[in-house]
């Protein structure tokens, strides 16, 4: 389950609640495209902003809409107690795995981060993906901390931040040396991910694939079959989107792109998050036209 | 209300719930000491880790235990919608003011931070303290953003991070120039706060005062009456505590100190947060003995 392409859909929401029909549509689109797994309630799925009830609904609905495609459900929260409740809800919903980032308000020590994973892996029956995302959690995982956590029971994969293409093989080799062989390494940071796969990563945990699964699957399959040049070229072709991701944040960009495709209403992000402004939307529209994704 | 010393107590909690009796004891101790205001459910009060129901209880209880001392209640949350609900709860509880930090998971743009304060100040009837705390929120307030927010209705004060003593007068003058005259400036970062008061700040929003109100009041009153040398000497005397604050985080240190005084049980922080380890506790005990605070 923790190899190939994992696609992370939006959970469209406004101040009245989740747009249930749109969420089912987004998940169904991913299953139909043949992605290897679906990451519901990831950062792109807005997990940090939703209530326990909304998250339980989204987990159940994603599993149902995904059919035979395995669904990985995000269970992060600031308190360990809440994470344990969310893990139980995800398992009841039929999640094939759970995804856990160490959310922070007070900065956490390494022992506190480890303690969180220890407590959660002691309770769950499905595998867990360690979600290393310093851009949202502000936790810096040392290799030593990755190594301590990766030997806990139930750890199945580590989702790591983007790595510059030239550094990917070295970085992945270093991490591989401190974790058990059965734990896979998945890259994120979509604009760098083709390089990560070619540099030895097992999986791509992708925001863009949550909206454009075929486009990202083509890059993934090229990388998996050793067609390095084709994978790099297909990723480089998306540069207009990658530039927007880096400038405005991938969440705001896929939110606006999903609106543009008519797949979600506007607004679809929880306040205080705002969608792209008018000028950025025009840039995005132009990029989608050039890429034939409109 | 937004001048002098504002003391921020712990909300002692374990995996079963809030230690209600201990919380009442901590708040009563502050009111009895004569602090100028009490900051319930600040970062030290663990607001980010508590449920809406727990926060409503703590707000009501703090107001009751504080008697005539005004209580400022923290209303931060990741979603604007939740902040609005928490503001309503705090007002129902009798809060004299509310305190709002822009909590983040997705990094926020300046317009998003402004939009949060705009939405909240449009709804509340009590004044609001802008809580600028990059160490927990990872939001960097520019002076321009402070200026935009400070002119919103109901803004009463800005709680700013610690400033090095030699930079305090300049920094406070720059901020003063971009905010209305009725908005006060309060400093935090206890180890730097005496310098902040002497450099022109109106208030000290203090973690240490949440446990040792008399000690911190003495420094505050010295600074307020122009006894600069006495204020600096009294603050410098606490250096063993300031060193521990900077090494382990002020929350963990006051948590352990409150245990040491027998005011709270152990543990009293929400997991994944852990108390100080054995060696750090020994350092703390020694410091309390030297300072006569044991």
């Amino acid at each position: 389950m923790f190899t190939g392409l994992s696609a992370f859909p939006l959970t469209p929401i406004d101040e009245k609640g989740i747009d249930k029909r749109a969420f089912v549509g987004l998940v169904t689109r991913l299953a139909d495209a043949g992605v290897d797994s679906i990451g519901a309630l990831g950062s792109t799925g807005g997990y940090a902003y939703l209530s326990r009830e909304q998250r339980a609904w989204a987990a159940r609905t994603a599993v149902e809409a995904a059919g035979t495609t395995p669904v990985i459900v995000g269970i992060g929260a600031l308190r360990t107690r809440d994470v344990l409740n969310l893990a139980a809800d995800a398992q009841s919903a039929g999640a094939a795995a759970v995804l856990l980032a160490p959310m922070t308000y007070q900065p956490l020590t390494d022992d506190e981060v480890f303690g969180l994973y220890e407590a959660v892996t002691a309770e769950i029956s499905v595998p867990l993906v360690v979600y290393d995302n310093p851009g949202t959690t502000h936790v810096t995982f040392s290799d030593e901390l990755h190594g301590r956590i990766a030997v806990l029971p139930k750890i199945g994969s580590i989702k790591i931040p983007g790595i510059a293409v030239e550094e990917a093989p070295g970085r992945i080799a270093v991490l591989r040396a401190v974790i058990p062989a059965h734990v896979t390494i998945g890259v994120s940071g979509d604009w760098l991910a083709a390089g990560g796969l070619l540099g030895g990563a097992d999986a791509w945990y992708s925001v863009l694939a949550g909206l454009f699964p075929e486009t990202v699957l083509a890059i993934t399959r090229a990388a998996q079959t050793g067609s390095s040049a084709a994978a790099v070229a297909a990723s480089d072709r998306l540069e207009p989107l990658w530039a927007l991701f880096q400038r405005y944040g991938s969440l705001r960009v896929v939110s606006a792109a999903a609106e543009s495709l008519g797949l979600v209403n506007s607004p679809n992000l929880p306040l205080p998050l705002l969608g792209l402004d008018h000028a950025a939307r025009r840039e995005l529209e132009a990029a989608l036209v050039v890429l034939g994704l409109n």
Side-chain angles (χ1 to χ4, degrees), chain A:
Chain A
M1 171 172 34
F2 302 127
T3 58
L5 180 64
S6 190
F8 282 70
L10 294 165
T11 310
I13 191 167
D14 66 15
E15 299 312 290
K16 293 195 207 98
I18 295 174
D19 181 343
K20 297 183 173 183
R21 193 167 142 178
F23 182 66
V24 171
L26 290 171
V27 174
T28 304
R29 181 178 164 97
L30 304 181
D32 289 350
V35 298
D36 298 304
S37 64
I38 293 171
L41 297 168
S43 293
T44 303
Y47 77 86
Y49 299 90
L50 306 186
S51 69
R52 181 175 177 187
E53 293 68 31
Q54 287 173 322
R55 293 170 71 168
W57 177 87
R60 288 194 304 273
T61 302
V63 169
E64 193 175 318
T68 57
T69 308
V71 176
I72 305 169
V73 173
I75 60 169
L78 287 169
R79 275 197 79 170
T80 301
R81 186 190 171 88
D82 294 332
V83 176
L84 292 171
N85 287 333
L86 291 160
D89 292 349
Q91 292 186 148
S92 299
V98 292
L99 171 72
L100 177 59
M103 282 179 67
T104 60
Y105 180 75
Q106 294 286 344
L108 297 178
T109 65
D110 280 8
D111 283 345
E112 289 169 339
V113 173
F114 177 78
L116 170 68
Y117 285 98
E118 188 179 38
V120 173
T121 53
E123 295 286 330
I124 57 178
S125 55
V126 297
L128 182 144
V129 180
V130 176
Y131 187 3
D132 173 3
N133 187 7
T136 57
T137 67
H138 306 282
V139 169
T140 302
F141 281 81
S142 65
D143 291 338
E144 194 258 334
L145 180 59
H146 268 310
R148 282 175 74 191
I149 292 170
V151 295
L152 288 167
K154 300 298 176 192
I155 301 292
S157 183
I158 304 175
K159 176 181 189 298
I160 61 171
I163 323 165
V165 172
E166 59 279 15
E167 290 165 16
R171 174 75 196 111
I172 289 166
V174 166
L175 190 54
R176 191 85 78 193
V178 298
I179 65 175
H182 69 272
V183 174
T184 74
I185 297 172
V187 285
S188 44
D190 279 349
W191 53 94
L192 300 167
L197 285 178
L198 294 169
D202 308 286
W204 179 356
Y205 294 107
S206 171
V207 175
L208 191 68
L211 190 59
F212 297 111
E214 288 89 355
T215 305
V216 184
L217 259 177
I219 304 172
T220 307
R221 297 297 181 237
Q224 286 178 313
T225 55
S227 303
S228 308
V232 169
S235 176
D236 287 352
R237 184 176 162 269
L238 300 175
E239 179 54 34
L241 283 180
W242 303 149
L244 293 167
F245 272 31
Q246 291 171 265
R247 196 161 345 137
Y248 300 109
S250 57
L251 174 61
R252 294 183 189 85
V253 175
V254 292
S255 154
E259 284 177 36
S260 168
L261 295 182
L263 296 175
V264 301
N265 292 324
S266 175
N268 58 69
L269 297 174
L271 291 173
L273 300 178
L274 298 173
L276 292 187
D277 67 21
H278 191 67
R281 277 173 201 270
R282 285 215 313 228
E283 284 182 78
L284 172 61
E285 297 289 346
L288 294 176
V289 169
V290 165
L291 296 170
L293 293 173
N294 57 321

